[in-house]
Amino acid sequence: MPQRIEDYALIGNMRTAALVGRDGSIDWLCLPRFNAAACCAALVGTPDNGHWSIAPNGDPVSTRRRYRGETIVLETVFKTDEGEVALIDCMALPRSEGHAIDLVRIVEGRDGVVPMRMEALFRFDYGRIAPWARLRDYGWHGAAGPHALQLRTPVKLQAGDDVCTAEFTVSKGQRVPFTLTWHNAYRPEPEARGPEQALEETEGWWRDWSSHYSKSHDYREPVIRSLITLKALTDGETGGMVGAPTTSLPEHPGGKKNYDYRFTWLRDATFTLHALVRSGYDEEARLWREWLLRVSAGHPQHLQPMYGIDGEWRFPQQKLDYLRGYDNSRPVHIGNQAYQQRQIDAYGEIVNAVYSAHEHNLDMDEYDWTAQLCVLEFLEGNWRETGAGIWELGSKQANYVHSKVMAWVAADRAARTIEQFGFKGDAQRWRALAQTIHKEVCERGYDAERNTFLQRYDSQALDAALLRLPIVGFLPADDPRILGTIEAIQQELTQDGFVWRYSDWLGRRTSEGSFLVCSFWLADDLILLGRKDEAREMFERLLSVRNDVGLLSEQYDPTSGRLLGNMPQAFSHVGLINTAHNLTS
């Protein structure tokens, strides 16, 4: 089976990404885009579904790895009985013509003479289609359908049974390159790209980008690593950010809650903007806001909770039954049917994100404001509708309290936009709507006997999304009802300081892992309450579950000490950045 989820590191180039295991194997690679069909799908299948490994020929004595400075260039160092060798992995910056993607791997001898083995088995269409392959004077070439791959290296390759292999030795000071290039099969093969130059340019670009984060505080390292991760998960042309670069890594090992996260969620909107703007990355924040404005075009009733990275509307969910799933967690899904859901909170996220952007000097014009008014007018007549909620419980349509609060946020921010920034509109109208929503939520979404807000009207269930109420300003953090809600979540949804998303329909905590961004929200609430020492302790506990190169997945199981869910998860890293800034501001 593949390695543990935490044993994978990310490399990417703002067009696509790959996951590299501690053993030097690329087990997940989608080319040429984040949402393209994988040509290395061993992560959710077997090695026969595609992998590309480079490692010592024999078990190493030890393995350590790191990102090279504040970049996303990965260095894995293998120590063997014969010596020491480094494997340097990088997804090169996109070529200017945009018709080819290059993945560069360089083996560098550090000590002694180390025998090495390279094995490449590529399968298009998520591990299903074997390419027509042939050896070339530069290495290997394979093509199937619209896709083609070049593998260039000075090492002599052997091809047989669809597997391309090479055995070679590396001496101290020697560097042996391998370059995998994707191109359209119907276009001429692209010119070779010098691997050393591609590495130098890519590493230099990331160092320059990271240098724009000028803050100096105790948590710079995890914050900059999270910012780099978010940048790598953002399409450099459209500004859309994928939730994660993977699909179907399970929320519960062996379970069925396996989803495709290679899409962009509106629920991340405001938090992502805050993370980018507070970190000094205004251009990235502007691109993200422009993406939000584009996808919210059309009649508000058609607003979706999620879109493709280009802003696509439809991506039907399918099962790939021929893949056995990560750790036998079936089914493996591509696409995500949640795009069909109605989530009332999505409207509030749009309005709040645009308001927040304007508040941080990313100016909104009258056209943008008119589009926001269309959303608000729709929400005015539809905020009482049921929906799937932030956690996409599509089969459980209900009046989710968090969704109603985000409708309140939309009305509140509309009134503020008119009052603070002078845009045309009836501030009293939106203030009155906000008051109406606020009153209903406090009456129907609050349990006075238990002194806590609830997941939904007419229920007893709790929901960690309620931790956002003081963050968005619905009530002050020290309001007795908020204090009671925080205490209830700590008692019923928290284990060892890690917070679960919600209790199930019967009021029981779910069997999935703790949801990491919810734990960051709890730390944010503690900061608002002035309990910084407690928040810092919790934050550092969360930092301790990052993997060895600083990455977080969607969830964490404190019992097994394992990361769970798709990896790395943008929402988790957004939470880390915002909490770090709250602690250090």
Side-chain angles (χ1 to χ4, degrees):
M1 63 168 285
Q3 299 174 78
R4 301 177 306 168
I5 290 173
E6 54 264 36
D7 285 334
Y8 286 97
L10 176 78
I11 57 173
N13 67 347
M14 297 159 289
R15 296 292 285 170
T16 188
L19 291 193
V20 186
R22 285 180 59 86
D23 62 353
S25 181
I26 292 177
D27 290 342
W28 183 254
L29 173 61
C30 297
L31 291 171
R33 301 288 300 280
F34 291 109
N35 56 353
C39 61
C40 291
L43 182 67
V44 290
T46 71
D48 289 339
N49 296 122
H51 71 283
W52 181 21
S53 63
I54 302 177
N57 198 351
D59 293 334
V61 175
S62 66
T63 303
R64 66 183 189 275
R65 60 184 181 168
R66 66 182 181 103
Y67 285 114
R68 290 161 66 101
E70 294 179 345
T71 78
I72 201 165
V73 176
L74 181 69
E75 179 180 285
T76 305
V77 179
F78 300 103
K79 184 175 179 59
T80 72
D81 291 335
E82 294 82 8
E84 188 172 275
V85 65
L87 174 62
I88 303 165
D89 286 320
C90 110
M91 191 82 76
L93 296 174
R95 300 192 190 200
S96 58
E97 69 273 14
H99 298 314
I101 299 292
D102 303 288
L103 196 164
V104 175
R105 315 190 78 181
I106 295 176
V107 183
E108 179 185 78
R110 296 282 178 85
D111 189 38
V113 180
V114 180
M116 301 290 294
R117 177 176 172 81
M118 190 281 306
E119 181 173 291
L121 185 147
F122 301 110
R123 290 288 184 270
F124 295 110
D125 194 30
Y126 300 100
R128 192 173 68 93
I129 302 296
W132 283 351
R134 67 188 76 177
L135 292 177
R136 293 282 183 85
D137 56 357
Y138 60 71
W140 175 94
H141 185 271
H147 305 289
L149 295 172
Q150 295 175 339
L151 178 56
R152 293 180 176 272
T153 181
V155 172
K156 184 178 180 180
L157 301 178
Q158 302 289 331
D161 297 327
D162 299 324
V163 181
C164 179
T165 62
E167 294 190 358
F168 58 101
T169 59
V170 181
S171 303
K172 182 178 180 179
Q174 184 181 4
R175 290 167 70 91
V176 180
F178 296 81
T179 303
L180 181 71
T181 300
W182 174 94
H183 68 95
N184 296 115
Y186 47 82
R187 293 180 182 270
E189 289 192 41
E191 295 294 325
R193 187 174 186 179
E196 295 288 357
Q197 182 179 355
L199 172 63
E200 181 181 357
E201 290 174 352
T202 300
E203 191 167 356
W205 187 92
W206 281 102
R207 289 184 188 278
D208 178 70
W209 186 87
S210 300
S211 70
H212 289 83
Y213 183 71
S214 58
K215 296 179 184 291
S216 177
H217 52 75
D218 292 343
Y219 301 120
R220 178 186 169 88
E221 180 274 321
V223 168
I224 196 64
R225 178 51 51 201
S226 294
L227 286 166
I228 291 169
T229 302
L230 295 184
K231 181 65 172 176
L233 296 180
T234 300
D235 187 278
E237 292 184 341
T238 72
M241 181 189 298
V242 295
T246 56
T247 181
S248 301
L249 296 185
E251 298 176 5
H252 177 69
K256 297 181 179 180
K257 298 180 72 174
N258 315 317
Y259 303 114
D260 192 345
Y261 270 30
R262 296 171 299 158
F263 307 100
T264 304
W265 272 260
L266 299 189
R267 71 182 184 194
D268 305 358
T270 311
F271 286 99
T272 302
L273 272 166
H274 275 278
L276 293 172
V277 172
R278 294 176 72 182
S279 301
Y281 289 99
D282 290 356
E283 178 60 18
E284 283 73 13
R286 185 190 64 79
L287 287 172
W288 175 232
R289 185 198 65 172
E290 294 303 314
W291 184 93
L292 287 170
L293 290 170
R294 289 197 304 273
V295 301
S296 60
H299 194 283
Q301 73 180 29
H302 298 136
L303 188 71
Q304 299 176 189
M306 57 190 292
Y307 294 85
I309 51 175
D310 291 344
E312 306 98 317
W313 296 280
R314 300 177 186 272
F315 24 90
Q317 188 167 294
Q318 304 173 55
K319 295 180 182 179
L320 303 184
D321 291 329
Y322 60 90
L323 292 171
R324 73 179 186 184
Y326 177 86
D327 199 13
N328 294 309
S329 301
R330 291 186 175 95
V332 173
H333 285 123
I334 57 172
N336 194 315
Q337 65 187 13
Y339 78 90
Q340 298 173 308
Q341 295 180 0
R342 169 174 286 185
Q343 295 178 19
I344 299 298
D345 53 285
Y347 297 92
E349 296 291 0
I350 287 282
V351 175
N352 196 27
V354 175
Y355 168 82
S356 178
H358 189 73
E359 193 177 35
H360 288 92
N361 300 316
L362 299 176
D363 290 341
M364 173 170 51
D365 59 26
E366 289 293 340
Y367 176 82
D368 297 338
W369 174 236
T370 300
Q372 299 305 293
L373 285 176
C374 289
V375 171
L376 286 154
E377 288 166 358
F378 173 81
L379 199 57
E380 186 177 31
N382 292 273
W383 68 270
R384 286 191 171 91
E385 296 292 322
T386 60
I390 187 175
W391 308 129
E392 299 171 358
L393 302 174
S395 62
K396 299 178 175 66
Q397 300 286 304
N399 288 297
Y400 290 97
V401 169
H402 172 264
S403 295
K404 306 304 182 189
V405 168
M406 291 311 297
W408 171 87
V409 166
D412 175 78
R413 298 324 188 247
R416 292 193 197 187
T417 299
I418 296 166
E419 294 163 351
Q420 295 177 11
F421 306 131
F423 283 92
K424 295 179 181 179
D426 186 350
Q428 290 185 344
R429 174 186 179 183
W430 305 120
R431 189 64 69 197
L433 176 60
Q435 290 170 352
T436 299
I437 299 172
H438 198 283
K439 184 174 184 292
E440 181 177 295
V441 169
C442 290
E443 290 176 351
R444 299 190 59 192
Y446 172 71
D447 185 335
E449 185 175 341
R450 293 169 64 193
N451 188 29
T452 181
F453 283 96
L454 302 168
Q455 182 187 58
R456 59 195 185 280
Y457 296 169
D458 307 315
S459 79
Q460 293 297 307
L462 287 177
D463 191 327
L466 300 169
L467 294 168
R468 293 189 67 188
L469 270 59
I471 297 172
V472 299
F474 184 77
L475 285 170
D478 58 359
D479 184 285
R481 292 164 292 183
I482 295 295
L483 290 172
T485 302
I486 293 171
E487 183 177 351
I489 289 171
Q490 287 179 310
Q491 290 179 352
E492 299 182 34
L493 291 183
T494 303
Q495 176 184 332
D496 300 332
F498 297 95
V499 181
W500 267 249
R501 284 191 292 179
Y502 52 84
S503 52
D504 67 17
W505 218 240
L506 299 175
R508 300 170 303 192
R509 195 177 72 187
T510 60
S511 60
E512 66 184 27
S514 67
F515 207 75
L516 288 169
V517 75
C518 298
S519 301
F520 287 114
W521 293 344
L522 177 54
D524 292 334
D525 284 0
L526 295 175
I527 295 167
L528 288 173
L529 288 169
R531 293 156 59 179
K532 267 199 170 184
D533 289 343
E534 189 177 347
R536 189 179 302 276
E537 180 181 352
M538 184 172 186
F539 181 68
E540 292 183 353
R541 185 183 302 116
L542 287 163
L543 291 184
S544 72
V545 307
R546 298 180 302 153
N547 74 355
D548 57 319
V549 290
L551 301 182
L552 289 170
S553 66
E554 178 186 39
Q555 300 182 16
Y556 175 73
D557 179 9
T559 300
S560 65
R562 293 284 307 278
L563 291 175
L564 299 171
N566 285 298
M567 170 80 170
Q569 178 81 0
F571 213 9
S572 298
H573 285 282
V574 167
L576 185 157
I577 294 165
N578 285 327
T579 302
H581 287 157
N582 291 337
L583 276 171
T584 57
S585 62

